[in-house]
Amino acid sequence: MKINGNRLLETLKKLGATGREESGALSRVAATDNDKAGRDLFVSWLKESGLNVKVDQMGNIFGILETEENKNKEPIVIGSHIDSVINAGIYDGCYGVLSGLEVIRTLKENNYKLERPIIVGAFTNEEGIRFQPDMMGSLVFVRGLPVEEALNSKAIENPELILKSELQRIGYYGNEKPGFFKPYAYLELHVEQGPILDYEKISIGAVENLQGISWQKVTVHGEANHAGTTPTRLRKDAGYVTAKIITFLRDLANNSNEKTVATVGIIEFEPNAINVIPSKSTFTIDLRNPNEEKLKANEEALKNYLEKLRIEEGVEIETERLVRFLPVTFDERIVKIIESVAKDKNYSCRRMTSGAGHDAQMMSRICPTAMIFVPSYKGISHNPAEFTEDEDLLKGTSVLLDVVTKL
């Protein structure tokens, strides 16, 4: 069997053109009107393909291919997400969902005899930029977060808006309870969102694990004072303390043999004036490592350093945990199948770690799970410049098809 490459690429382009702002920026943020436009298009394709469409209370969308003979068996699920960040590229998440649809279309057109149902899924709010936490739809699906708690999440841009009312407004508060079926296995195909495959000129990544993620918000309380008249030794400078923390995090990552990554992604100073020593700094820290013990050690090292700075600089430092996900080890059997399929097709392949979070890390809690990566040009993602060559996209979907049939 062969996938219809032109059809796959066409669906990617059409979905990529859907949910854009007047400026042309792609912004299908969860449970917005633009998200609804993308959902409506995806559901129309599911129905055109003769699939049974189910939507759960979290707005997770599932297209189901089953027969009378296999409908009581646990399904193979292929999934990802179609919500986006603001001013996004067209591949993140969408490639995995539409490749799943293309695999199902190919199986149907070849009258392939399915031993069990095949489902393609699109999970709600994977990005987590409007409602938190991220990967919310899949987290609720595996019962890692109570559905009512998730549905009461407040929109970041307007706390009066909650996820449930927004899903109802766009018509995607479904009837099914999250977790209404248990998968036999879960597969997620994704552009790498990192530079390794592109840099090494390798076609397929067999993803064997996924980094643990630790997000914190840090607030440094110093003392505002005149920038020209206050000697350095008498300052309680929240900006200087923040700069030292950022430098510490870079050193922490550099000394980890590339296993730890650390990022300060949001930062705000008060009073934010050119001639006033900052009295307050609020910023976020994103720490990641594929080893749980090492991630804990990194967190402890940061905690000790903050205490050291508090004493040395005479400031107060508060921390708030935002997100904490354990590292994930994917199913060895499926990872080996991915490697075997790539080898059979003469595609170069390597095992790798996912540095980004994905719905697969949630689904791995309830069923055997693995991911397939294809190269991402220069590792650029969450950016309109996100790009993967058509040839690589088709190779990834071809591997996905054969992995599904082997399962």
Side-chain angles (χ1 to χ4, degrees):
M1 290 184 293
K2 291 186 178 181
I3 61 164
N4 184 329
N6 290 334
R7 180 171 59 192
L8 171 63
L9 298 174
E10 187 63 25
T11 57
L12 267 170
K13 290 175 183 176
K14 285 183 178 178
L15 184 57
T18 303
R20 292 186 174 267
E21 304 289 350
E22 289 184 8
S23 64
L26 176 61
S27 298
R28 282 198 310 273
V29 177
T32 59
D33 290 343
N34 284 352
D35 184 29
K36 172 181 168 54
R39 288 167 172 269
D40 288 348
L41 182 60
F42 176 55
V43 168
S44 73
W45 287 332
L46 296 179
K47 291 180 176 178
E48 287 172 8
S49 302
L51 305 185
N52 183 15
V53 179
K54 300 278 189 182
V55 181
D56 70 16
Q57 292 169 329
M58 281 298 299
N60 298 324
I61 302 169
F62 302 99
I64 305 169
L65 176 63
E66 63 185 1
T67 65
E68 282 297 319
E69 292 76 22
N70 69 27
K71 68 179 182 180
N72 293 321
K73 290 188 176 181
E74 293 178 343
I76 294 172
V77 182
I78 309 165
S80 196
H81 65 99
I82 62 171
D83 69 305
S84 81
V85 297
I86 296 168
N87 199 23
I90 72 169
Y91 301 100
D92 178 9
C94 302
Y95 170 53
V97 172
L98 297 180
S99 288
L101 174 59
E102 181 55 38
V103 164
I104 289 179
R105 284 169 160 172
T106 302
L107 293 171
K108 280 196 70 178
E109 289 166 357
N110 286 272
N111 297 312
Y112 187 84
K113 183 171 172 28
L114 295 170
E115 293 296 324
R116 56 182 68 250
I118 308 289
I119 296 177
V120 57
F123 291 103
T124 294
N125 191 47
E126 193 271 352
E127 295 292 2
I129 63 167
R130 190 181 185 210
F131 301 96
Q132 290 189 345
D134 55 349
M135 296 166 282
M136 184 188 285
S138 53
L139 180 61
V140 174
F141 187 86
V142 303
R143 296 183 171 88
L145 179 69
V147 62
E148 288 305 323
E149 182 179 334
L151 289 172
N152 284 320
S153 298
K154 297 177 180 179
I156 292 172
E157 84 280 4
N158 183 353
E160 294 184 3
L161 299 176
I162 63 170
L163 178 58
K164 182 177 181 179
S165 62
E166 287 295 271
L167 287 173
Q168 289 172 328
R169 183 182 65 81
I170 67 171
Y172 282 93
Y173 175 71
N175 297 319
E176 304 292 338
K177 291 190 177 297
F180 66 96
F181 63 86
K182 183 183 183 305
Y184 170 74
Y186 177 82
L187 296 167
E188 186 163 353
L189 174 60
H190 214 283
V191 294
E192 183 192 349
Q193 298 182 284
I196 295 171
L197 293 177
D198 183 54
Y199 178 77
E200 297 183 357
K201 306 304 177 189
I202 293 174
S203 297
I204 300 294
V207 185
E208 61 181 348
N209 55 17
L210 192 147
Q211 286 183 327
I213 301 173
S214 172
W215 285 2
Q216 297 183 56
K217 182 170 78 171
V218 179
T219 304
V220 180
H221 297 277
E223 182 177 272
N225 216 328
H226 196 290
T229 62
T230 311
T232 300
R233 62 185 173 84
L234 299 179
R235 297 185 179 203
K236 296 181 180 180
D237 186 341
Y240 172 69
V241 171
T242 300
K244 293 203 74 168
I245 294 169
I246 294 172
T247 302
F248 170 81
L249 290 169
R250 173 57 65 92
D251 291 340
L252 185 71
N254 285 343
N255 293 328
S256 71
N257 296 320
E258 297 188 342
K259 294 297 184 182
T260 294
V261 288
T263 305
V264 172
I266 298 173
I267 187 167
E268 297 175 352
F269 287 149
E270 293 181 16
N272 206 33
I274 192 169
N275 59 350
V276 180
I277 297 165
S279 61
K280 181 179 177 183
S281 171
T282 304
F283 56 98
T284 59
I285 296 175
D286 179 322
L287 266 177
R288 306 190 189 205
N289 191 293
N291 181 287
E292 173 63 11
E293 292 308 312
K294 290 179 180 177
L295 183 57
K296 285 181 178 178
N298 291 335
E299 291 173 316
E300 186 66 19
L302 174 61
K303 177 182 175 182
N304 293 337
Y305 185 69
L306 295 182
E307 177 61 17
K308 178 174 178 283
L309 281 179
R310 184 187 70 79
I311 295 169
E312 290 178 351
E313 299 297 331
V315 295
E316 292 300 318
I317 303 177
E318 300 173 3
T319 61
E320 177 189 351
R321 175 172 284 184
L322 302 176
V323 167
R324 182 60 161 83
F325 291 128
L326 294 170
V328 172
T329 300
F330 289 131
D331 185 80
E332 178 66 14
R333 171 178 168 246
I334 302 179
V335 174
K336 285 181 176 178
I337 291 173
I338 294 167
E339 291 178 310
S340 172
V341 168
K343 182 179 179 181
D344 289 345
K345 293 178 175 294
N346 292 317
Y347 297 161
S348 54
C349 179
R350 63 161 285 172
R351 288 197 174 208
M352 58 193 312
T353 295
S354 172
H358 298 283
D359 292 309
Q361 76 187 75
M362 303 306 171
M363 298 299 287
S364 68
R365 300 184 184 189
I366 62 170
C367 67
T369 297
M371 295 189 69
I372 303 166
F373 277 172
V374 295
S376 183
Y377 177 66
K378 291 186 177 180
I380 296 170
S381 190
H382 287 184
N383 183 319
E386 180 180 80
F387 178 73
T388 295
E389 295 283 355
D390 290 352
E391 180 183 0
D392 291 321
L393 295 170
L394 301 185
K395 283 181 178 179
T397 308
S398 176
V399 169
L400 178 65
L401 172 64
D402 285 9
V403 172
V404 167
T405 59
K406 286 181 181 295
L407 286 174

